[in-house]
Amino acid sequence: MNRFINHPVHSWLGLAARWYLGGVFVFACLHKIAHPAEFALDVATYDMLPLSLVNLAALTLPWVELAAGLMLILGWRARGAALACAGMMVVFLVALASALHRGLDMSCGCFASQSVAEDDPISYLTVLRDSGWLLLAAYVALFDRRALGIDRWLEYRRRRPATA
Amino acid sequence: MTGRAKNGEIPAGLLAGLGGALRDAVVLTLVASALGLLVNLFHPRRIPYLAEKEYQTLVPCPVPGGEVTPCQPGDEMVRAADSLPVDARSPAQYASWHLEGAINIPFDYLEPVPQKLLDELNLRLNRRRARRLVVYGDGKNPDSGEQLGRELSGKGFRNVFFVSGGAPALREGTAAPRPEDARHE
């Protein structure tokens, strides 16, 4: 078990996972940040939050996505960012599963609003895709070795012997 | 990853530092959320922090739509023997008035046409040896007749026409011109 956990391949797999996941989250938030009203409508369509919380969720969630995505790409507190991503994926999965269970026929709203994403209907494939991203986030949270990134650089500076 | 694990145990190294990561995740969430709320103050498309009115979240079914051709209530084809009229209105409206020989297939924005009704429509088409479907609806905008026509066309029915102005125009014998008509022609 330890040999698997300590295998050097995790450094590079973790880095690839970090960049991919970070890219996905940054890409996903752009339209939501630019068009908060449309994203609020998407949130409302899932019919899971009380009306008073819909706009608050629509205003905050994309920024958490952006921050987590950038932190993953830059390698700054990446495990925390991955945990935040995993938390968001759990929330999205619950919302998707609930919408599918209730038979809502709607666009996912994951990357763009309903109005421009007519070809992105929710389905069990969407659940599968999000589950994959959840696993990826969990992998980064558990296996990140700080390969390339700000964390690595900070660690290097901390460990560098002081010179006269 | 310096933790040593005995057989069957979760190595401590894998979970080491996860508490700190959890703290980072919470801080990230709080700071980013605050930033999002702050940015909304200056956003050109800002929205109220608390929704003031219910969102219109009616989600239409993505039923595949097909080609449909408009026709006028006075057109010969509407009452021709080789046309099968289809009434897209509710059963109650159908009961109060309908074109002679029309079959009632109520259009629902949320539900596709049930297979049972499609089978019945096929049966009537064959019995009547009809060459075209002439659908009429409530004549509103959007017109349920046009919507049903698109749905039927998308499901493989050919030569689907819809009556501009719907049932009200048919009863009056004239059609109110609608801007959509120009688009279909």
Side-chain angles (χ1 to χ4, degrees), chain A residues 105-106 118-119 121, chain B residues 59-67 106-114 118 146-157:
Chain A
D105 217 337
M106 54 187 279
E118 293 290 323
D119 297 330
Chain B
V59 184
C61 291
V63 176
E67 289 294 313
F107 177 71
D108 190 327
Y109 280 92
L110 293 176
E111 295 292 333
V113 177
L118 291 175
E146 182 181 353
Q147 303 294 321
L148 179 64
R150 287 189 184 287
E151 186 175 342
L152 293 176
S153 175
K155 286 183 186 295
F157 288 90

Side-chain angles (χ1 to χ4, degrees), chain B residues 59-103:
Chain B
V59 184
C61 291
V63 176
E67 289 294 313
V68 61
T69 312
C71 64
Q72 298 302 314
D75 286 354
E76 207 172 292
M77 75 162 78
V78 174
R79 290 175 172 84
D82 58 354
S83 296
L84 177 61
V86 179
D87 191 324
R89 300 173 303 153
S90 69
Q93 289 171 313
Y94 173 82
S96 69
W97 177 88
H98 60 264
L99 272 183
E100 193 184 336
I103 177 175

Side-chain angles (χ1 to χ4, degrees), chain B residues 67 118 121-122 125 133 152-160:
Chain B
E67 289 294 313
L118 291 175
L121 180 62
N122 257 324
L125 268 172
L133 288 175
L152 293 176
S153 175
K155 286 183 186 295
F157 288 90
R158 292 181 185 174
N159 300 325
V160 182

Side-chain angles (χ1 to χ4, degrees), chain A residues 76-94:
Chain A
W76 184 51
R77 296 180 186 265
R79 296 181 76 187
L83 275 183
C85 289
M88 283 187 280
M89 291 320 306
V90 169
V91 172
F92 298 158
L93 278 167
V94 169

Side-chain angles (χ1 to χ4, degrees), chain A residues 142-159:
Chain A
L142 291 175
F143 285 89
D144 180 57
R145 299 284 202 286
R146 298 176 172 178
L148 275 180
I150 295 176
D151 283 341
R152 180 74 163 199
W153 179 69
L154 290 174
E155 196 176 292
Y156 168 76
R157 280 198 54 171
R158 224 177 7 251
R159 287 185 179 175

